[in-house]
Each structure stands twice: as structure tokens, then as C-alpha cells.
Amino acid sequence: MARYIMQRIFYLLITLFLIATISFFLMKLLPGTPLTAEDKLSEEQREIILEKYGLNDPEPIQYVNYLGRLVQGDLGISFQFDNRGVTQILMNRIGPSAQLGVQALVIGTILGILLGLLAAINHTGFLDYGSTFVAVMGKSIPSFVFAGLLQYFVGVKLGWLPVALWDGFEYSILPSIALMIFPLATAARFTRTEMLEVLGSDYITTARAKGVNELGVVFKHGLRNALIPLVTIIGPLAVSLMTGTLVIEQIFAVPGLGEQFVSSVMTNDFPVIMGTTLLFAFLFVVIILIIDLLYGVIDPRIRLAGGDK
Amino acid sequence: MDNNRLSKDLFVLKEKQNDDVDKISRPSTTFLQDATRSLLRNIPAMVSIVALLVIIIMSFIGPKMNDYGYDDQDLSRAKMPARIQLFEDISWLGFAGTLSGTFEGATVEEATQNALSRYGGNEEFIDIEIKNEGNGTKDSAKVDATYRIYEAKDMEESYFWFGTDSLGRDQWTRAWQGTKISLYIAFLAAAIDLVIGVAYGGISAYYGGRVDNVMQRIIEILIGIPNLVVVILMIIILKPGIISITIALTITGWIGMARIVRGEVLKLKNQEFVLASRTLGSPDRKIIMRHLIPNVTGLIIINTMFTIPSAIFFEAFLSFIGLGLAPPEASLGTLIESGFKSLQIYPYMLVFPAILISIIMIAFNILADGLRDAFDPKMHD
């Protein structure tokens, strides 16, 4: 186990190093410079600015400096926002994104499990088809289309909830709903399949034969076993939410990481782009690692070290 | 005792019957026939195939069905709502070619004034229907206004089936043009994923040993890199365009296919029929082409069918965050993105491309599910 964890962390570090390196050199290839009114600057002013941000050094030196600062958690200084540190900018931005992501993931998954459970109990019945329908829709229709529908009907037409911006809990409801559709659909389908399989197994028959009441059978014997593999899809779901937040934050004008990323792409703010990319990558690999380790803890049948994933 | 003795003459040779008894009356179906049959029986999947075919055909003939080019700008006809010949008298369909909205004010006059100022003040073509007389307090009076914009612009002979965008470009033409480009990117990306993934996975699994080890370590590192990050970085350095979007999508997209193919080939390559073929002296190439690839075809098809909708999604997603195709090119993503800008007043600009992309995504997902059911031997009864 310990060896496995070490091995995984080793790969994690290589991956992060690779991403840092790739994003550094890709940024160097970017067209355009970070200087906004380049024409208006005199040669000396340009020199001073480039010198200040260390852009005059040869690239290998810039790279080593960059890696050195990175190890200390310093992501550099933003070109756009008056010398503010990227780390600080991102820290200010992470709150709304995390709130949206957690709300969508938790509520979406719980609702999805319930929906899948109903479908499995009501196999080939009305609820089953209904939940399959919801699941296919939720998996297929892009989140930004949902977001548009919600914004137009709930926000504009009915006026129940704020259309956009970020000023308290009610502002987070619509974006969270738009984001949670995908985890909901995925969890519903997954729970349904697992639950049907579990309900058909021998120990369920045994439980029924012993006279356990139906609720006990479904929840205690059925659901608990059906949910173990659900852990494996939480990781990919969390990652897909990161993709989702990029768009949803744009639509609902939420001041989160995604919105920051998109605007820095527009303004060639290299350090912020690199910082966000690295942060996304870091969250991604860490989430996947935690989920994998957790899976082994929850289900002792999984041998982590052995075999191939 | 004697009774138990069976004498020989008790046994008579049975006359030989037709030896048809053991014959199988129908020719046995191959795996592929079996799969095809169960796919044909899957009604949602068949509906999806039809829907996709219609959309694909429309994406080619749609832009040619009227005289407007996808890049014909004309500000005098900007932001016209949808209007279709046969449906314009059925108001709830929304193809009447009118803009309508509810306006509020302290009095009916004030509400009417609000409506007039929204629609450019041309009273002659604005029908006002009073919903609430109001009592003089703020926003108590309500009127429904309907603006007959086609008449107002003296364009009663024109029909923009899906309306026009903010530059006066025909949305019908752009929507189908956009569909064609989105599908093109998706198919191309899926095809490239397929070729690279199958080759990589197949070679890695078939040769095994050190080759496999090295190739798997590479994959293990690559898979750690979130494809979102890679796609965005690639798009930033390549100039946004059809080819660069495709490259960005495929640069990590093949990994899933490679892993699936590798797993399956590993399972297959130690089976007896492969051993037999090898014993008979078949070269590697022949074993791969004749025995291994046909047996993983089902998996490859299923996986590809799931790749296509995710590529369509990613293309739309990139357009949405401003990294997609540059105007005047149209794709479903760019259309939806520009539709969002005028969602509140001109929702039709978003509705049609949004419906199209939703139908395409749903149909591909249902079809892929159907294919998985059809090709999965465990599901056959």
C-alpha cells in the first residue's frame, strides 16, 4: 500500500512538472505581447517594463526562475492587475468556484442516487423510463444550453431568481442547478445499473428469505453495496465540473476561477493563464489520487497494488 | 430370474429415419448479424439514426435552400425574428415574424410608451393589448405589445426561417452551415482518435514486455494531464480554426481508445485461436489484422460513438469561452455564444442552434447506448 501511494505521488509530481513545463513553453510561443499600448511606449520604457518582469532574460533562465518560484507556491505577478500576485488573485477567485462546484456535486449526486434508486426499484416501470429519460437528457444536453434556459425562463421571464452576478446564496442557485444536471444524470444511470445488479444477487434473496423488511433490503443491503463503485465516478465528475464552471461562470457572470481564466486569455495575461492551468491540473490529479486511494479503503476487495487499472 | 433376462429377439433394429433431426433449420447468425438485429429492434436508437441522417443531410442542403449566404451581412435586416411561410398564422409556434413582450408602467400610456420606445416608436406596426389598467402606482399597468417587424421594414415578401442575427445574416443558413462544421470537426477528431488509439493500444498490448511497459508509462503520465488544460493551451498557441480545434481535441483524445484496445487485445492474444494461428506460422501483421482487430471492432465502434458527441461538446465549449472559430465562420458553438449576447430580447437567436446541438448530442448518446447493448455479448439473451 505504502509503495503504491509513493508510486502514485511520484507520477503525480512528474505530471505536474510536465504540465508546468509545457505550459511555460507554450506561453512563450503565444502570439502577441503582454504590453497593451505597445506603440506608445518608447524603447526605454519597454526595456524597463520587460526588465522588471524578467522578460529580458534568456528563456532557459526564465524557466528555471519560474520553476523555483513555483515550488514555493509563487505563481508570478499578473501583467494585467497592477502587480498583484497571481496566487493572491486566484485565491480570491477560488471561493465562488468551489462553492458552485461543491453544491452542484453534492446535491446533484444525492438527487441522482435517489433517482437511480427509484428507477431500480420500479424496474421497467414508469419511474424507470422517466429516470432514464432524465438521465439521457442530462448527459447529452450541454450545460450551457441548460444555463441559457434557466436564465431566460427562471431569471428573465419569471423573475424568481437573479439572472447573473454574485451577491449571496440566491445568486448561486441557478448556476449550481445548471452545473448539477450532469452529475445528477451520471449518478442516476450509474446507481440504477449497480442497484439492479445488487438486487439480483444471492445475499439479497437471503435477506428477503430471513424476513428483512423491504426498506431494510433496499437501503441496508442493496444501496450500501451499490454505492461503493459510485466512488469511482466522483473523480471524473468533479473534473467535468471544472470544465463546466468555465462556461457557467461566464454565463452567470460569477467572479470565479473560470471567469478569470477566460478574461486572462483575452488579455494575454500569461502568468494568470499559467497559474490557473496549473491550479486546474493540480486539483485534477489530486482529486483522482484521493478517489483512487479512497476506493481501496472503502472496498477491501480492491487490491490497489496488484494488476492493471 | 429368467424374467429379467432379455432375449436378443426382443430388440428390433429401428428403421433409419431422415437424419434431419439434428440439423439446424436456420443458418446460424454471426455475431455481427446478431448485433445488427438487436440494434434494429432498438426503437430509440433507430429514431436517433434517422434524426442524425436528417440533420446530416440538412447540413448539406440547408444552406442552399434559400438565397442568403452564411456571411451575407445587411444591417437593415438585423435581428429579424423567425418567420416561416406555412406556420406564420399559428402564433404559439413562434414563426410569425413578430417580436412581442410585456411592458409595465404606472399607467397604460406609460407602459405603451415603454413598448414603443423598445420597438423603435413606429406605432403603426405595433399592436398593443392591455393586460392590466393599473392604479397609478409604479409598474402596475401591463400591456402586451406585438411588433410586426417584417411589415415595418417593408419586407413582407422575405422569410427568414430562423430569423437573422445582429449583423443581418440569415440564421437558417448559418445554423446548418454551423452544424456541418461542428459535425465535420467531431467526425475528423473521432477518426484521428480511432487510428492513433487503435494503433497505440494494439501495438502496446500485442508486443507486450518492454514495449508495453514503456508505452504504458507514457500513457500514465499523459492521462494525468487534464484534457481541458491541454485543449485550451493548444488552442491558444495554434490560431483558432477547424484544423487547430481538431488537433487540440485529438492530442489527448486517443488515450481512452488506446487503453480500451490494449485491455481487450491483452485478453484476446492469449486465447487458443490466436495461438493456433501463430502455430500455423501466420505473421504478426496477419494475426493483428485477421484475428485481433475484428474482435475488438465492437468496442472500437462504441467508443467512437461516444467520442463524437464529446467532441461536439468540446468544440461548442471552446467557442463559448472565446477560443473557437473566428467570425464569419459559423459553428454551433459560435452561434450559441452569440445567441447568449442577446438572449433577453431576442431569444430565438439562441433557441435554434441550442435545439440543434441538443438533438445531435441526444441522438449520438442514445445511438451509442444502443450500439453498446447490441455489441455487448453479456446483454444478449
Side-chain angles (χ1 to χ4, degrees):
Chain A
M1 186 72 184
R3 190 168 161 261
Y4 174 77
I5 295 176
M6 290 310 290
Q7 195 188 346
R8 285 297 302 265
I9 291 176
F10 175 68
Y11 275 119
L12 187 149
L13 291 177
I14 291 186
T15 308
L16 285 177
F17 169 73
L18 216 67
I19 296 171
T21 308
I22 293 173
S23 60
F24 177 83
F25 285 105
L26 285 186
M27 286 307 121
K28 291 291 153 200
L29 292 173
L30 261 186
T33 64
L35 304 175
T36 28
E38 203 181 353
D39 306 338
K40 289 184 194 149
L41 297 172
S42 70
E43 196 59 37
E44 288 126 46
Q45 284 169 317
R46 270 193 53 179
E47 278 303 304
I48 292 168
I49 294 177
L50 291 179
E51 192 62 45
K52 182 178 168 197
Y53 291 105
L55 292 168
N56 263 347
D57 299 333
E59 276 174 18
I61 294 182
Q62 287 188 35
Y63 174 62
V64 172
N65 287 341
Y66 161 73
L67 282 186
R69 288 197 304 269
L70 200 61
V71 176
Q72 301 162 32
D74 178 4
L75 294 166
I77 294 165
S78 163
F79 291 157
Q80 194 192 358
F81 296 103
D82 301 334
N83 304 332
R84 280 171 60 201
V86 175
T87 316
Q88 186 203 343
I89 292 177
L90 294 184
M91 283 306 146
N92 290 341
R93 290 284 189 146
I94 207 165
S97 296
Q99 187 188 342
L100 283 187
V102 171
Q103 280 177 9
L105 187 62
V106 173
I107 302 175
T109 314
I110 291 175
L111 290 180
I113 291 173
L114 288 177
L115 198 64
L117 187 66
L118 288 177
I121 295 172
N122 190 250
H123 186 40
T124 68
F126 173 73
L127 278 175
D128 192 12
Y129 290 118
S131 105
T132 308
F133 179 78
V134 171
V136 170
M137 290 290 153
K139 260 195 90 156
S140 310
I141 300 180
S143 56
F144 45 82
V145 172
F146 270 119
L149 290 175
L150 286 172
Q151 200 175 34
Y152 185 67
F153 287 106
V154 184
V156 179
K157 283 274 167 184
L158 298 171
W160 288 350
L161 289 165
V163 176
L165 293 176
W166 189 255
D167 194 19
F169 175 70
E170 73 259 35
Y171 287 81
S172 74
I173 297 176
L174 284 186
S176 298
I177 294 177
L179 267 180
M180 82 172 57
I181 302 288
F182 186 77
L184 190 152
T186 314
R189 294 191 72 168
F190 198 86
T191 311
R192 176 181 174 271
T193 319
E194 288 297 324
M195 197 66 194
L196 282 178
E197 207 177 307
V198 167
L199 285 181
S201 56
D202 291 342
Y203 61 85
I204 293 291
T205 318
T206 312
R208 288 221 169 92
K210 284 195 308 184
V212 178
N213 67 356
E214 193 57 29
L215 270 180
V217 169
V218 169
F219 282 98
K220 216 170 147 205
H221 297 254
L223 193 61
R224 272 174 66 175
N225 284 300
L227 287 189
I228 294 174
L230 191 75
V231 179
T232 50
I233 61 163
I234 299 284
L237 277 183
V239 172
S240 81
L241 284 183
M242 285 188 209
T243 315
T245 48
L246 280 184
V247 195
I248 299 295
E249 284 175 12
Q250 278 289 98
I251 295 173
F252 290 100
V254 175
L257 281 178
E259 210 245 344
Q260 175 66 59
F261 182 85
V262 176
S263 66
S264 16
V265 169
M266 299 300 157
T267 50
N268 272 346
D269 197 345
F270 302 159
V272 179
I273 299 178
M274 271 191 280
T276 327
T277 309
L278 276 175
L279 185 62
F280 272 131
F282 180 73
L283 290 174
F284 177 94
V285 289
V286 170
I287 288 174
I288 296 289
L289 177 65
I290 292 175
I291 297 291
D292 279 358
L293 296 181
L294 210 62
Y295 196 40
V297 175
I298 295 175
D299 191 348
R301 286 173 297 184
I302 309 293
R303 266 196 320 129
L304 281 175
D308 239 286
K309 265 198 319 113
Chain B
M1 275 294 252
D2 269 14
N3 292 352
N4 289 344
R5 263 258 164 78
L6 300 171
S7 63
K8 235 179 184 179
D9 49 280
L10 280 173
F11 293 96
V12 187
L13 258 181
K14 195 167 184 257
E15 209 170 304
K16 196 177 178 189
Q17 286 183 328
N18 288 347
D19 48 5
D20 286 353
V21 208
D22 289 339
K23 247 192 184 156
I24 297 161
S25 52
R26 276 188 289 178
S28 67
T29 52
T30 63
F31 177 63
L32 195 66
Q33 286 167 334
D34 215 21
T36 315
R37 204 177 53 189
S38 73
L39 185 66
L40 287 174
R41 282 214 203 115
N42 186 337
I43 296 168
M46 293 319 288
V47 172
S48 302
I49 289 184
V50 173
L52 286 174
L53 283 179
V54 170
I55 287 178
I56 291 171
I57 293 169
M58 278 306 290
S59 74
F60 282 96
I61 62 171
K64 299 191 178 72
M65 282 171 72
N66 57 27
D67 300 331
Y68 310 113
Y70 79 94
D71 191 25
D72 289 354
Q73 300 182 14
D74 182 353
L75 286 177
S76 71
R77 58 175 206 223
K79 296 176 178 168
M80 304 284 278
R83 187 186 187 206
I84 297 179
Q85 279 91 333
L86 289 173
F87 301 126
E88 59 184 318
D89 295 327
I90 312 169
S91 61
W92 54 267
L93 274 178
F95 290 118
T98 56
L99 291 172
S100 57
T102 306
F103 295 88
E104 294 168 340
T107 60
V108 172
E109 284 74 37
E110 198 184 309
T112 310
Q113 208 53 48
N114 283 340
L116 291 185
S117 61
R118 162 71 68 80
Y119 295 135
N122 201 336
E123 255 174 90
E124 197 185 331
F125 302 106
I126 300 176
D127 300 329
I128 300 286
E129 192 186 328
I130 298 164
K131 281 281 176 197
N132 192 335
E133 293 283 354
N135 50 18
T137 55
K138 190 173 179 288
D139 291 348
S140 61
K142 280 196 173 109
V143 297
D144 274 354
T146 307
Y147 179 34
R148 301 192 303 277
I149 182 170
Y150 280 82
E151 287 173 47
K153 295 206 172 183
D154 205 13
M155 290 165 64
E156 279 168 289
E157 296 307 309
S158 316
Y159 288 90
F160 296 101
W161 295 325
F162 283 178
T164 60
D165 68 4
S166 51
L167 293 172
R169 294 176 290 203
D170 179 44
Q171 284 282 84
W172 168 275
T173 313
R174 283 181 73 74
W176 293 116
Q177 178 76 15
T179 308
K180 186 162 76 182
I181 289 177
S182 289
L183 286 174
Y184 174 75
I185 291 175
F187 281 122
L188 195 60
I192 297 174
D193 280 357
L194 189 149
V195 172
I196 301 179
V198 171
Y200 195 98
I203 291 171
S204 174
Y206 187 76
Y207 290 103
R210 182 177 290 172
V211 177
D212 185 40
N213 217 341
V214 171
M215 290 175 94
Q216 284 316 299
R217 294 296 85 77
I218 294 174
I219 277 208
E220 233 156 276
I221 292 168
L222 286 180
I223 204 147
I225 306 176
N227 69 337
L228 168 71
V229 170
V230 178
V231 169
I232 290 175
L233 288 177
M234 289 308 293
I235 289 290
I236 293 174
I237 54 155
L238 303 167
K239 248 171 65 192
I242 294 177
I243 295 301
S244 57
I245 290 181
T246 314
I247 293 175
L249 289 177
T250 46
I251 204 149
T252 54
W254 55 271
I255 293 176
M257 180 70 93
R259 298 182 94 192
I260 290 175
V261 170
R262 174 177 175 267
E264 198 61 20
V265 170
L266 272 184
K267 221 160 55 185
L268 284 171
K269 76 166 187 182
N270 292 323
Q271 290 191 2
E272 285 79 1
F273 68 94
V274 177
L275 186 66
S277 177
R278 189 170 313 171
T279 318
L280 290 171
S282 304
D284 285 350
R285 220 167 60 90
K286 199 177 168 198
I287 294 176
I288 293 177
M289 296 303 287
R290 289 289 302 278
H291 298 295
L292 298 181
I293 301 239
N295 277 301
V296 290
T297 307
L299 269 181
I300 294 173
I301 293 175
I302 297 164
N303 197 46
T304 305
M305 290 307 287
F306 281 112
T307 313
I308 294 174
S310 82
I312 292 177
F313 170 79
F314 247 103
E315 183 276 320
F317 165 77
L318 286 173
S319 301
F320 210 93
I321 59 174
L323 293 171
L325 293 176
E329 287 298 336
S331 76
L332 289 175
T334 57
L335 291 176
I336 291 175
E337 197 262 332
S338 57
F340 256 102
K341 287 180 187 151
S342 35
L343 172 66
Q344 300 206 9
I345 311 170
Y346 307 103
Y348 63 87
M349 280 189 210
L350 174 67
V351 166
F352 298 111
I355 290 177
L356 266 177
I357 200 173
S358 302
I359 294 178
I360 294 174
M361 298 281 291
I362 293 170
F364 268 115
N365 273 309
I366 293 180
L367 181 59
D369 278 346
L371 280 169
R372 184 169 54 193
D373 293 350
F375 277 106
D376 188 349
K378 277 180 284 180
M379 305 283 286
H380 280 242
D381 33 308

